[in-house]
Amino acid sequence: MKVAFLAKGDDWGSMPFYFNISSPVGKGYPNAPFEDVAFVQFCFAAIASNTVQETPSNLKEPWSKVKVTGHMDQVTQDGIDAWQRDRRKRFGAIFEVDGIFSVAPPMRTNYAKETPYSIVGVNYILMMSTLSIWPRLDKHQLAGPVAGAIRKAISPELTA
């Protein structure tokens, strides 16, 4: 996991960067790196538990079941699938429903025109749900197993 910066012209409101994964997480990747799986799990759990921004029920219900363990399981896969089905329902067939959170390549947030990588979109919602601590997500009560990876990711950028 590492911090990824937005390219000039990317418009994600007040999100100056996002937390990217280093390997795909989801269907077909049962042995994805601990930190990557834990970060995706953290995103789901933190968004579902937030009181700042209402989480749609079709996401809140599966995401509230996700625990931050760093190990890929069916509950995490269900959370990924719910996110992708939600995006497809809201925005149409341009959104992939493949059960995978892919790595966003350097300086890219979209894999197709106006179609962001899942990891980028979830980061934006996470930021809006945790504005009081963003980007110090390591301070979130649910960060647990991923807190060290978050600190490591932001340390060179924010404390250098």
Side-chain angles (χ1 to χ4, degrees):
M1 186 174 76
K2 62 183 176 180
V3 169
F5 288 90
L6 305 177
K8 186 176 182 175
D10 275 350
D11 185 16
W12 284 90
S14 59
M15 186 169 76
F17 59 84
Y18 60 96
F19 293 90
N20 201 358
I21 50 181
S22 61
S23 286
V25 172
K27 187 176 176 181
Y29 296 93
N31 299 314
F34 178 91
E35 292 175 352
D36 293 336
V37 175
F39 184 70
V40 171
Q41 292 169 332
F42 169 71
C43 290
F44 293 162
I47 293 167
S49 71
N50 94 88
T51 57
V52 176
Q53 185 172 335
E54 187 175 343
T55 306
S57 61
N58 63 317
L59 295 175
K60 187 172 184 104
E61 192 263 320
W63 287 2
S64 64
K65 295 177 183 176
V66 175
K67 304 295 181 229
V68 184
T69 66
H71 302 286
M72 191 62 200
D73 58 17
Q74 188 58 51
V75 175
T76 303
Q77 186 63 58
D78 292 345
I80 291 170
D81 294 342
W83 167 256
Q84 291 184 341
R85 282 192 308 268
D86 177 78
R87 301 290 94 184
R88 171 70 61 96
K89 182 178 178 183
R90 288 177 191 245
F91 304 110
I94 60 171
F95 278 81
E96 290 283 337
V97 182
D98 60 3
I100 301 167
F101 265 43
S102 298
V103 178
M107 304 302 286
R108 289 192 46 207
T109 56
N110 293 340
Y111 62 87
K113 185 177 171 116
E114 298 189 30
T115 311
Y117 284 92
S118 291
I119 194 65
V120 179
V122 161
N123 262 266
Y124 181 76
I125 295 170
L126 179 64
M127 181 190 72
M128 298 307 289
S129 300
T130 60
L131 281 174
S132 65
I133 60 170
W134 178 271
R136 292 301 310 270
L137 298 173
D138 57 309
K139 295 182 178 287
H140 194 285
Q141 64 182 359
L142 297 175
V146 77
I150 291 169
R151 276 192 301 278
K152 183 179 175 186
I154 61 176
S155 181
E157 305 303 335
L158 302 180
T159 61

